[in-house]
Amino acid sequence: MTIPNWITFSRLLGLPFLLYGLHNPTELSRWICLAIFIVAASTDWLDGYLARKLNQISDLGKFLDPLVDKFLVLGPLLALVELGQVPAWGVFLILARELAIAGWRVNQTSISGANIWGKLKTVSQIIAISLLIAPLPAVWQIPSLIAFWISVAFTLISGAIYLLPPTLTKENA
């Protein structure tokens, strides 16, 4: 296993601590969870950068990276549903997209990396989850929810673009 793949896998190590801290959150535990989440999310950029820099792009990395991203995003979102901060149906839309793409990928002969819409989806999710985890004043509640819904929109758009037949996207370009 390559260094970038180890970094991808290490992203999972913070997830149990993050979920534990969000189970009965205090202001301090939320700040700690935010730090854990940001460090884990930043490894998503680091593993991709190193894979390209070290010429260690692999099919395992292309498979493992989005899978670990799903755990890192869905874990905190489910905790936030439990806390009543986000609606379950919004998280369900994200989950449905992720399962649809994962199922679609199983039938592909080669695994492609993320396109710009997938990257926008990931960045918007990281921003939204960070805002929702942070113990911010009440004035931030609506902007945090707006960020969440923007991430849901990017998630659905990126999923639709991912599943469009290549001939359809080339004809419309």
Side-chain angles (χ1 to χ4, degrees):
M1 203 153 81
T2 65
I3 292 171
N5 289 345
W6 276 111
I7 292 170
T8 299
F9 185 73
S10 74
R11 197 174 319 145
L12 287 176
L13 299 177
L15 196 55
F17 298 103
L18 182 62
L19 295 176
Y20 180 79
L22 289 174
H23 183 65
N24 287 312
T26 63
E27 184 173 337
L28 176 61
S29 71
R30 281 183 171 267
W31 284 120
I32 293 169
C33 288
L34 178 62
I36 291 169
F37 181 74
I38 289 173
V39 168
S42 68
T43 66
D44 187 30
W45 171 83
L46 180 62
D47 61 16
Y49 171 78
L50 287 176
R52 289 184 296 277
K53 180 97 169 149
L54 301 174
N55 198 27
Q56 294 182 344
I57 296 172
S58 66
D59 282 343
L60 175 61
K62 289 180 188 177
F63 170 78
L64 194 58
D65 185 63
L67 179 64
V68 172
D69 287 348
K70 287 168 187 36
F71 286 123
L72 186 62
V73 165
L74 290 169
L77 284 176
L78 290 172
L80 293 166
V81 166
E82 185 179 19
L83 294 172
Q85 285 189 250
V86 293
W89 69 273
V91 176
F92 175 79
L93 291 174
I94 292 173
L95 176 62
R97 181 268 189 205
E98 299 300 350
L99 290 175
I101 297 300
W104 180 83
R105 281 183 164 194
V106 168
N107 294 320
Q108 301 305 302
T109 54
S110 66
I111 301 170
S112 63
N115 62 23
I116 187 66
W117 289 99
K119 292 176 193 258
L120 282 172
K121 169 198 72 103
T122 301
V123 169
S124 68
Q125 289 172 342
I126 290 168
I127 291 169
I129 293 168
S130 295
L131 288 170
L132 290 161
I133 288 174
L136 298 173
V139 70
W140 280 92
Q141 186 174 6
I142 291 175
S144 298
L145 282 175
I146 290 170
F148 169 73
W149 288 113
I150 289 171
S151 77
V152 171
F154 277 136
T155 299
L156 296 176
I157 291 167
S158 71
I161 289 171
Y162 209 100
L163 295 175
L164 283 175
T167 56
L168 181 61
T169 56
K170 287 179 186 170
E171 288 172 7
N172 292 335

